[in-house]
């Protein structure tokens, strides 16, 4: 019997006798390219038996194959595999015993064979409809021989040529039309792509104008400093605080940078610091600023030497009327010397970018500057209409025409590129007349650190020469010729040049009074650029030429008051110098016209005179050792002149540093670094959260088997420091100790602290929250430093300090009444081996621990017993509790207070959801009594100190805990604490020092 079927215009002829015999179960065959082998679908039971890889291979093989169509059983069979009722309705056929066992190749498992019976009758229409899907799928698979949708895939492999892709005449005639349409479609898509992104070639991208446009576009989100491109080639760049800053150099130069700090000069770009200018009456300014500072922390804005403009000052600012709580952060300030007969003053405040927003808000509040001054409207250049000849043809390269050359060239972006032109930068008070100006990125600030920093400045900067007498009568648009016309200003310029000449006779920058300010006008240092790098060293001959009396007077009294004046204070002068700066192209053109190549330009161009300010930066002022270490100079310039001064300074042999060296510089000086070491500031808390997220992400990237189990090490918070919880727990300990002092006079202090902390754990939540603060009162710090019995770095001898009252109970009570919830900045030195790490734990030693010191100076400290991991069973999903015991019986006795029922963590949904193996989930248990030694604080900076020659750590401890520990120690052991790294169980002895 033969059946003819037409599907989609294709006539197919079937031999029903052979087709029907294959309907029940078709023996599967392998399929080759262009040939289809029908295969009966596997049952669900067989698919479960298949492995995942075999299932994937089978799905891939059967991807383009037609699916089998079977009829359901009925009274009339069509080949034994399906039955069709009279209406053609499909019904399921009951399975035979051997079919229920699963499908298998060849004969059945029970020895049976395939059904070979011929059906008695067949419904042709229903059978054809069922096979129409198979035929359509078969034809689709035959026509689509490859996975590509290109027209070349329809050809056999031996007829394909590479030239067909661009020459359609190589194709057969029947495929040329399709290929031509596809080519036109691809050309249209390519032309659209080129119109969206022009100048894709490297040659076009490297054009100067296009580079400037690209750099300006990339500065919309993060501000670039003027030395950004120079740093990007030599440093690892990080995006912080809205800037793109250099972090550390790509080369290994940590020790060379330290040697530069100690013996020569290190150069840094601090232009990212924000400058805020205040203008107004002196009394109004001082009255407003007094609300943001306190005299207890040191000299304020009203200090005599700072107010005269002779010295730069520094102070910690607070929110209005909130001292000692809610600090904003440290700032440096500089007063402009007062003009004769004028009561108006000008003040610059330099602050870190993270505290600029809060500082501006507080200044506007206390100065009553609510009215924003609208910025001047910059006229927008109108674009010329584009003519048809100027339009670029799609698919062709853009050529530079005369019209392009005559158009305005791309300008380098100076200042803050992320700021909108309509954003106000000035605010004025209608009541007091005070004006606040935001001068962020309006000036460049370089810092030179090291004893030879003034030698580098003396060789790089040369005082500007006077303008010619014959040219004074000519009007000029430049600021320096107009400045030279006034005789009084030229007299001042000569006195400043003489004071600058005296710096060459000083051997070290630390010999000058801290904060000295010198105003100066210098020539463009590119005019005196050496041909190769030379290391600037002090000259004995130049030192002998300097008058010794004047040099000694300069070292004792500093620069005279009138020499601190500078034209850099005037905005009009700064703008004039920036706009008229000589470009590198013009400067090279002038050099090319010299008679002798390499000689100096003489006379110097009038636009090469630049007003600058030299501000002395004091070195180490705290403690009794390494006085004036790390002193240097700050160089203030108008914007746009950054690279013009940076390259000449680098050619004098200085080392360059980034953010990492700023942190190391603060660590060697022993001072807190902002915002790392200001936990009570908003910026410090934000930095701690960012640091915790970064360290936690790094911890989770490690394989679970390679992570440190901080739970077993007894470290509750390895990536952050819970200062608030520490201060609250110590305050509760102090309150409870006062109540139970009479009943517990015979018991040990350590046992009392541990038991009280355990019993008062639930009281922390009920007590009202009080903010933690850092102790910055100089009088209290001096008293606390004397009680710590300060010694030299490695404890060889005692330091001479002022006589302080004895540390007894009344003195301690009165001190804690004023500063109970405070933290104190301490310096910890390891007399023996050991290297402190970040977030190391500072603990109080027991009486048995202090006896180990009598064995020798290099005696090792105690060991922390291994803790139990309470969350190990929960991670494995087991309902049983952990039954692992401690290492020894002695450890069980020492850790009995850690394994009580009150210490056992309770199951909570929060802990189970965001749980990380090896870390304690929130909320944390008691931080003071969690370990075998009572916790006093944590380390925020720790490393091996090259300046001291041993391990040095800086951090905070609780004032209450420190006084409790000092009062229970003997005089010979007073000030000895324990330090343990988060990844270690070994305690090290450290000597605590509070430097004031």
């Amino acid at each position: 019997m033969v059946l003819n079927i037409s599907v989609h215009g294709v006539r197919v002829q079937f031999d029903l006798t052979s087709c029907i015999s294959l309907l029940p179960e078709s023996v599967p065959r392998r399929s080759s390219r262009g040939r289809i082998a029908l295969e009966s679908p596997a049952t669900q039971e067989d698919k479960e038996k298949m492995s995942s890889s075999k299932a994937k291979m089978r799905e891939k093989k059967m991807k383009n194959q037609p699916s089998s169509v079977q009829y359901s059983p009925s009274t009339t069979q069509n080949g034994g595999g399906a039955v069709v009722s009279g209406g053609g309705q499909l019904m399921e056929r009951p399975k035979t015993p051997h079919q229920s066992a699963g499908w298998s190749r060849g004969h059945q498992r029970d020895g049976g064979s395939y059904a070979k019976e011929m059906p008695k009758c067949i419904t042709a229409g229903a059978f054809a409809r069922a096979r129409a899907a198979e035929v359509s799928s078969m034809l689709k698979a035959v026509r689509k021989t490859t996975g590509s949708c290109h027209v070349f895939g329809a050809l056999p492999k031996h007829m394909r040529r590479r030239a067909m892709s661009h020459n359609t005449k190589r194709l057969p005639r029947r495929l040329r039309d399709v290929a031509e349409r596809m080519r036109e479609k691809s050309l249209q898509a390519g032309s659209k792509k080129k119109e969206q992104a022009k100048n894709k070639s490297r040659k076009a991208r490297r054009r100067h104008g296009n580079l400037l446009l690209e750099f300006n576009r990339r500065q919309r989100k993060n501000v670039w400093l003027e030395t950004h491109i120079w740093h990007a080639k030599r440093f690892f760049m990080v995006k912080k605080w809205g800037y793109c800053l250099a972090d550390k150099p790509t080369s290994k130069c940590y020790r060379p940078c330290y040697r530069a700090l100690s013996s020569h000069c290190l150069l840094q770009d601090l232009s990212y610091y924000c400058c805020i200018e205040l203008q107004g009456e002196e009394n109004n300014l001082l009255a407003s600023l007094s609300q943001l500072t306190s005299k207890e922390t040191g000299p304020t804005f009203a200090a005599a030497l700072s107010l005269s403009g002779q010295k730069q000052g520094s102070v910690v600012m607070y929110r209005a009327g909130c001292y000692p709580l809610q600090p904003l952060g440290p700032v440096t300030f500089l007063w402009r010397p007062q003009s004769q007969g004028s009561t108006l003053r000008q003040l610059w405040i330099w602050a870190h970018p993270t505290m600029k927003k809060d500082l501006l808000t507080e200044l506007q509040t206390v100065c009553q500057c609510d009215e924003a001054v609208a910025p001047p409207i910059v006229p927008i250049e109108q674009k010329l209409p584009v003519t048809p000849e100027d339009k670029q043809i799609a698919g062709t390269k853009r050529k530079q025409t005369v019209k392009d050359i005559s158009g305005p060239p791309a300008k380098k972006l100076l200042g803050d590129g992320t700021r909108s032109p309509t954003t106000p930068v000035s605010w004025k008070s209608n009541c007091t007349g005070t004006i606040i100006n935001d001068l962020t990125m309006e000036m460049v600030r370089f810092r030179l650190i090291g004893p030879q920093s003034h030698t580098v400045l003396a060789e790089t900067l040369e005082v500007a020469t006077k303008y010619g007498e014959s040219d004074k009568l000519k009007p000029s648009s430049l600021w320096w010729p107009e400045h030279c016309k006034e005789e009084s200003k030229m007299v001042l310029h000569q006195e400043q040049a003489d004071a600058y000449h005296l710096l060459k006779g000083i051997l070290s920058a630390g010999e000058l009074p801290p904060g000295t300010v010198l105003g100066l006008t210098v020539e463009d240092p590119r005019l005196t650029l050496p041909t190769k790098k030379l290391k600037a060293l002090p000259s004995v001959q130049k030192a002998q030429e300097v008058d010794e009396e004047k040099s000694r007077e300069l070292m004792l009294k500093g620069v005279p008051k009138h020499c601190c004046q500078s034209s850099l204070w005037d905005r009009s002068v700064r703008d004039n110098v920036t706009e008229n700066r000589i470009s590198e192209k013009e400067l090279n053109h002038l050099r090319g016209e010299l008679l002798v190549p390499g000689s100096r330009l003489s006379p110097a161009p009038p636009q090469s005179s630049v007003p600058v300010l030299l501000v002395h930066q004091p070195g180490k002022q705290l403690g009794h050792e390494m006085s004036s270490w790390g002193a240097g100079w700050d160089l203030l310039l108008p914007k746009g002149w950054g690279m013009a001064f940076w390259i000449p300074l680098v050619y004098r042999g200085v080392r360059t540093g980034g953010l990492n060296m700023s942190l190391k510089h603060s660590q060697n000086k022993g001072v807190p670094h902002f915002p790392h070491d200001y936990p009570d500031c908003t910026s410090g808390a934000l930095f701690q959260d960012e640091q915790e997220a970064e360290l936690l992400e790094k911890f989770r990237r490690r394989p679970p088997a390679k992570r440190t189990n901080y739970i077993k090490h007894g470290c509750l918070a390895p990536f952050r420091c819970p200062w608030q919880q520490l201060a609250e727990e110590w305050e509760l300990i102090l309150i409870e100790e006062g109540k139970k002092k009479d009943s517990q006079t015979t018991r040990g202090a350590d046992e009392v602290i541990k038991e009280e902390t355990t019993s008062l754990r639930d009281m922390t939540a009920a007590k009202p929250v009080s903010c933690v603060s850092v102790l910055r009162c100089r009088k209290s710090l001096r008293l606390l430093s004397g009680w710590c019995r300060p010694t030299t770095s490695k404890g060889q001898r005692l330091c001479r300090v002022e006589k302080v009252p004895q540390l007894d109970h009344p003195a301690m009570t009165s001190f804690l009444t004023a500063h109970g919830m405070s933290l104190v900045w301490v310096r910890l030195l390891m007399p023996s081996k050991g290297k402190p790490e970040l977030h190391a734990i500072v603990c109080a030693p027991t009486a048995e621990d202090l006896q180990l010191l009598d064995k020798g100076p290099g005696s090792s400290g105690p060991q922390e017993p291994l803790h139990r991991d309470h969350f190990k069973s929960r991670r494995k999903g087991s309902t049983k509790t952990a039954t692992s015991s401690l290492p020894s019986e002695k450890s069980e006795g020492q850790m009995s207070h850690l394994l009580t029922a009150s210490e056992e963590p309770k199951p909570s949904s929060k802990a189970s959801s965001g749980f990380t193996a090896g870390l304690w989930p929130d909320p944390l248990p008691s931080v003071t009594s969690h370990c075998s030694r009572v916790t006093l604080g944590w380390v925020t900076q720790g490393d091996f100190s090259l300046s001291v020659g041993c391990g040095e750590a800086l951090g905070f401890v609780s004032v209450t805990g420190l006084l409790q520990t000092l009062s229970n120690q003997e005089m010979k052991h007073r000030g000895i604490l324990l330090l343990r790294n988060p990844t270690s169980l070994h305690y090290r002895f450290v000597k605590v020092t509070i430097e004031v």
Side-chain angles (χ1 to χ4, degrees), residues 667 670-673 676-679 721 723 726 774-775 823-829 836-842 936-942 952-958 962 977 979 992-995:
Q667 180 180 343
V671 296
H673 187 73
H676 300 63
D677 305 319
Y678 284 80
C721 304
W723 302 113
L726 176 73
V774 175
L775 181 61
L823 306 172
V824 61
W825 174 258
V826 295
R827 183 186 180 203
L828 305 168
L829 293 171
E837 297 177 357
L838 181 66
H839 298 155
I841 309 171
V842 183
L936 300 178
W938 292 277
V939 171
T940 58
Q941 297 181 31
E952 182 183 25
L954 302 170
F956 293 93
V957 297
S958 171
L962 181 62
L977 301 178
L979 186 140
V992 61
T993 306
I994 299 176
E995 296 181 337

Side-chain angles (χ1 to χ4, degrees), residues 3 5 71 123-133:
L3 179 65
I5 304 174
Y71 276 89
T123 306
F127 183 80
R129 282 195 301 271
R131 290 300 175 266

Side-chain angles (χ1 to χ4, degrees), residues 592-744:
E593 294 179 351
L594 290 174
L595 219 62
V596 180
S599 59
R600 182 178 173 179
L601 288 174
S602 182
Q607 60 266 41
S608 64
S609 301
V610 186
V612 299
L613 263 177
L614 299 178
V615 183
H616 182 266
Q617 289 297 320
K620 185 177 180 182
Q621 295 179 298
L622 306 177
H624 305 274
E625 295 178 330
M626 299 175 58
S627 179
S628 300
W629 184 92
W633 288 91
D634 276 10
L635 178 62
L636 303 182
L637 311 167
K639 69 176 180 181
W641 285 85
M643 288 304 297
F645 280 76
W646 182 268
I647 298 299
L649 288 171
V650 172
Y651 266 62
R652 263 65 184 192
V654 301
R655 281 278 176 180
T656 53
L659 297 177
N660 186 45
M661 284 312 299
S662 296
L663 182 63
K664 294 299 179 183
H665 180 232
S666 301
Q667 180 180 343
N668 288 319
K669 288 173 62 176
V671 296
H673 187 73
F674 189 85
H676 300 63
D677 305 319
Y678 284 80
D680 54 342
C681 296
T682 306
S683 303
L686 182 62
F687 171 80
Q688 184 173 346
D689 295 340
E690 294 175 355
Q691 186 184 52
E692 180 188 6
E694 182 180 351
L695 294 176
L696 187 60
E697 182 185 0
K698 183 179 179 181
F699 177 77
R700 288 173 175 167
R701 284 201 304 264
R702 295 178 63 87
K706 304 300 180 184
R707 299 176 187 170
T708 303
N709 193 333
Y710 292 104
I711 298 178
K712 289 187 176 182
H713 282 73
C715 184
L716 290 177
F719 307 136
R720 63 186 176 97
C721 304
W723 302 113
Q724 183 70 27
Q725 185 176 352
L726 176 73
E728 289 176 357
E729 289 185 9
W730 273 110
E731 188 181 19
L732 292 175
I733 291 173
L734 180 65
I735 295 172
E736 195 66 18
E737 185 180 351
K739 297 179 182 178
K740 298 182 179 180
K741 185 178 180 181
D742 298 336
S743 60
Q744 297 177 346

Side-chain angles (χ1 to χ4, degrees), residues 401-590:
T401 60
V402 181
K403 295 182 180 180
D404 298 332
I405 300 174
S406 60
K411 292 185 178 181
K412 184 179 179 181
L413 184 63
L414 298 176
D416 190 354
T418 62
R419 181 188 296 166
S420 173
T422 59
T423 303
V425 293
S426 298
W427 297 267
K428 186 177 181 181
S429 173
N430 295 326
C431 303
T432 60
T434 305
I435 301 176
I436 300 177
N437 296 321
D438 184 7
L439 301 183
T440 302
M441 295 297 295
E442 290 296 316
M443 282 179 286
V444 178
R445 183 164 189 153
F446 294 156
R447 176 162 293 179
L448 294 90
I449 310 171
Q452 302 303 323
S453 55
H454 71 290
T455 306
V456 173
L457 285 176
E459 290 197 11
T460 306
L461 307 181
E462 291 195 6
V463 181
T465 57
K466 294 182 180 180
Y467 202 54
E469 295 291 338
S470 59
D471 298 331
K472 285 186 178 180
L473 301 177
K474 299 179 182 179
S476 175
S477 60
L478 304 176
W479 80 279
W480 181 241
E482 297 296 325
H483 186 86
C484 293
K485 293 180 181 179
E486 300 184 21
E487 191 65 28
S488 59
K489 293 184 179 180
M490 297 313 300
V491 172
L492 176 62
H493 174 70
Q494 186 60 41
E495 292 179 356
Q496 291 174 340
D498 295 340
Y500 177 67
H501 181 68
L502 292 176
L503 291 177
K504 300 178 181 180
I506 299 176
L507 299 179
S508 175
E511 298 178 4
L512 290 170
T516 301
V517 180
L518 175 62
L520 209 60
T521 302
V522 298
E523 288 185 353
D524 190 342
R526 293 176 294 177
L527 302 177
T528 58
L529 185 69
T531 55
K532 61 180 181 179
K533 287 186 179 181
L534 298 173
K535 194 170 184 179
L537 297 173
S539 175
V540 180
Q541 182 180 359
K542 291 182 180 179
Q544 293 176 353
E545 295 176 358
V546 176
D547 190 356
E548 293 184 2
E549 290 293 332
K550 294 182 179 179
S551 179
R552 190 179 299 110
E553 184 180 359
L554 179 66
M555 289 188 290
L556 293 176
K557 298 182 180 180
V559 177
K561 178 181 177 181
H562 59 278
C563 292
C564 303
Q565 187 64 262
S566 174
S567 300
L568 191 66
W569 289 93
D570 299 329
R571 179 186 288 271
S572 58
V573 174
R574 294 197 303 266
D575 295 341
N576 187 284
V577 173
T578 301
E579 293 172 0
N580 297 289
R581 183 181 69 89
I582 306 177
S583 64
E584 291 289 339
K585 179 181 178 181
E586 296 173 355
L587 192 61
N588 293 333
H589 180 70
L590 293 176

Side-chain angles (χ1 to χ4, degrees), residues 36 39 53 83 100 132 260 284 311-312 380 424 539 544 569 654 656 791 795 826 845 848 850 886 896 903 914 920 938:
I36 308 300
E39 184 174 337
S53 59
V83 226
S100 61
N284 296 334
K311 291 187 178 181
Q312 177 187 247
I380 302 175
S539 175
Q544 293 176 353
W569 289 93
V654 301
T656 53
T791 60
V826 295
E848 292 78 9
L850 295 176
L886 293 176
S896 59
E903 188 74 20
W920 272 91
W938 292 277

Side-chain angles (χ1 to χ4, degrees), residues 26-42 47 50 52-67 103 105 137 141-142 144-145:
S26 298
V27 179
R29 301 169 185 170
R30 293 185 178 273
S31 62
S32 59
R33 184 179 299 274
R35 297 182 181 180
I36 308 300
L38 296 179
E39 184 174 337
S40 61
K47 289 184 178 179
M50 291 184 186
S52 59
S53 59
K54 288 184 177 179
K56 290 180 181 178
M57 291 175 63
R58 187 176 186 279
E59 289 178 4
K60 184 177 180 181
K61 186 176 69 173
M62 298 297 294
K63 182 177 180 181
N64 292 325
Q65 303 303 324
S67 57
W103 172 84
R105 292 176 179 268
S137 180
V142 170
K144 187 176 180 181
T145 57

Side-chain angles (χ1 to χ4, degrees), residues 341-352:
S342 175
T343 58
L344 294 176
R345 298 300 303 270
Q346 196 171 348
L347 172 67
W348 282 348
I349 300 177
W350 297 84
H352 197 270

